[in-house]
Amino acid sequence: MSSLPLLLMIAVAIGLALWNSARAAAERAETLGREACRAANVQWLDQSVHATGIRLRRGRNGWLGFERSFRFDYSRDGSDRHVGRLVLRGGELVSFSGPLPEYETLH
């Protein structure tokens, strides 16, 4: 009896799990980028984030997991273009550079 079908099913299951976690991270990054742009009152461009890197890192609990980097573009006045970056470890935001929230000034 060949174990090839079993190995193939395991490989497919691992591939689907990795794809699913990558999609979940991209959706989380998209939400965080959109919310940051809204809070800073800037225009979020291209309506998406772009994955720029992935690596294995230890989380707070000591377990190895994926750390994924993303970039997004935003504009302050519609004629400029800036790059925002964020890093997720699991679903947790560990690094962010981009538009800062607008705060009302006290008079």
Side-chain angles (χ1 to χ4, degrees):
M1 182 169 180
S2 174
S3 61
L4 184 60
L6 179 62
L7 291 175
L8 184 59
M9 286 179 22
I10 291 171
V12 168
I14 290 171
L16 286 174
L18 290 174
W19 178 80
N20 189 44
S21 68
R23 279 301 328 138
E27 289 172 7
R28 173 86 170 122
E30 186 175 309
T31 299
L32 291 169
R34 183 182 295 122
E35 288 175 357
C37 289
R38 186 176 304 128
N41 199 26
V42 298
Q43 182 181 5
W44 186 48
L45 301 175
D46 303 330
Q47 307 302 310
S48 65
V49 294
H50 307 279
T52 58
I54 184 171
R55 62 184 180 170
L56 284 174
R57 297 288 290 206
R58 292 205 182 271
R60 290 182 187 196
N61 59 6
W63 288 83
L64 280 177
F66 289 115
E67 181 178 273
R68 292 179 168 88
S69 304
F70 297 90
R71 69 174 261 292
F72 62 95
D73 296 326
Y74 64 95
S75 175
R76 296 194 184 282
D77 61 11
S79 64
D80 59 352
R81 191 173 194 98
H82 301 278
V83 176
R85 301 184 189 284
L86 55 94
V87 178
L88 296 176
R89 193 173 298 141
E92 179 184 4
L93 180 66
V94 294
S95 175
F96 178 84
S97 66
L100 297 175
E102 285 189 337
Y103 293 102
E104 292 184 25
T105 57
L106 299 176
H107 298 284

